[in-house]
Amino acid sequence: NVGFFALTKGAMDGVIRPLAYGWEFIIPEPGRQSISNVSRNAAYPVRLVSLLLQGRLKDSGSETGHFLINSTLGVAGLFDPAGHFGVLTRSEDVGQAFGSWGVGSGFYLFIPLMGPSSGRDGVGKVFDTALTPTSYVPGLSWFFAFNSLSLNLEPYDALVRSQRDLYGVTRAMWAVKRQVDVEDYTIPEVAFASAGADLSLGALTTRPTDASFAAKARDR
């Protein structure tokens, strides 16, 4: 896992990231977001099958409505009118369905050039790939992943700058996020009311005036 992580990070920093910045420069954000919308719309079969495997028929109907609206009014998914109409979509995959059945994540697995996974979710990815139409067009899935990266370069760079043990942090963050995905956890409204969400979120804008502050820290 550590070796595959190092290989992937080397490819990311040496090749993929510079190219993504070039793509960001050439294609304005609305254009890249539209490409991302098409990618998500095309993955509808994955989300539908996952929801059906979990017995969530109402959510399956909502997901289908979202797909049909965006495929028609949204011009093959380039735009997201369904989101404006309040028709919900969810982040679902077959690995999550396995998790909802009580299947444990098993061993941690870092897949080269694809990222963190597990024994359970690695098997799920096989089904996800088979269910995604764009997987049958050579190179298209990789292009969509590359385009998605161009929309998330700043968070990636911030994470790299802030962490010395990026492998451990990546593994921990993935594990937490995956558990949240499987449990479909959402923060209860009462928690926002009792915590004073406006003040909490406002703290996110607080930062040192010295941009090099983090680099000077001896103990992080």
Side-chain angles (χ1 to χ4, degrees), residues 129-176:
T129 301
L131 289 167
T132 305
T134 56
S135 299
Y136 298 96
V137 180
L140 187 56
S141 293
W142 289 104
F143 169 70
F144 282 146
F146 173 78
N147 180 75
S148 179
L149 172 65
S150 74
L151 292 167
N152 295 281
L153 284 168
E154 289 187 12
Y156 172 78
D157 288 344
L159 181 63
V160 171
R161 286 194 304 268
S162 66
Q163 300 295 333
R164 285 178 290 184
D165 178 21
L166 191 60
Y167 171 80
V169 170
T170 301
R171 181 178 61 186
M173 290 175 62
W174 176 85
V176 172

Side-chain angles (χ1 to χ4, degrees), residues 121-135:
D121 295 321
V123 174
K125 284 182 185 295
V126 175
F127 291 96
D128 294 342
T129 301
L131 289 167
T132 305
T134 56
S135 299

Side-chain angles (χ1 to χ4, degrees), residues 30-160:
R32 289 179 286 120
Q33 185 59 58
S34 291
I35 294 172
S36 181
N37 291 343
V38 171
S39 172
R40 180 171 181 79
N41 201 58
Y44 157 73
V46 177
R47 299 191 297 276
L48 177 65
V49 169
S50 176
L51 290 168
L52 290 175
L53 289 174
Q54 296 175 65
R56 296 163 59 181
L57 299 182
K58 182 178 179 180
D59 291 340
S60 299
S62 174
E63 194 68 52
T64 299
H66 190 278
F67 170 74
L68 292 175
I69 291 172
N70 283 0
S71 296
T72 52
L73 298 181
V75 192
L78 280 170
F79 307 101
D80 184 26
H84 295 294
F85 297 156
V87 181
L88 297 179
T89 181
R90 294 158 182 82
S91 296
E92 298 288 336
D93 55 60
V94 176
Q96 286 175 243
F98 291 161
S100 72
W101 295 351
V103 178
S105 61
F107 56 87
Y108 178 69
L109 176 66
F110 192 95
I111 303 175
L113 300 179
M114 294 182 66
S117 187
S118 67
R120 177 194 67 202
D121 295 321
V123 174
K125 284 182 185 295
V126 175
F127 291 96
D128 294 342
T129 301
L131 289 167
T132 305
T134 56
S135 299
Y136 298 96
V137 180
L140 187 56
S141 293
W142 289 104
F143 169 70
F144 282 146
F146 173 78
N147 180 75
S148 179
L149 172 65
S150 74
L151 292 167
N152 295 281
L153 284 168
E154 289 187 12
Y156 172 78
D157 288 344
L159 181 63
V160 171

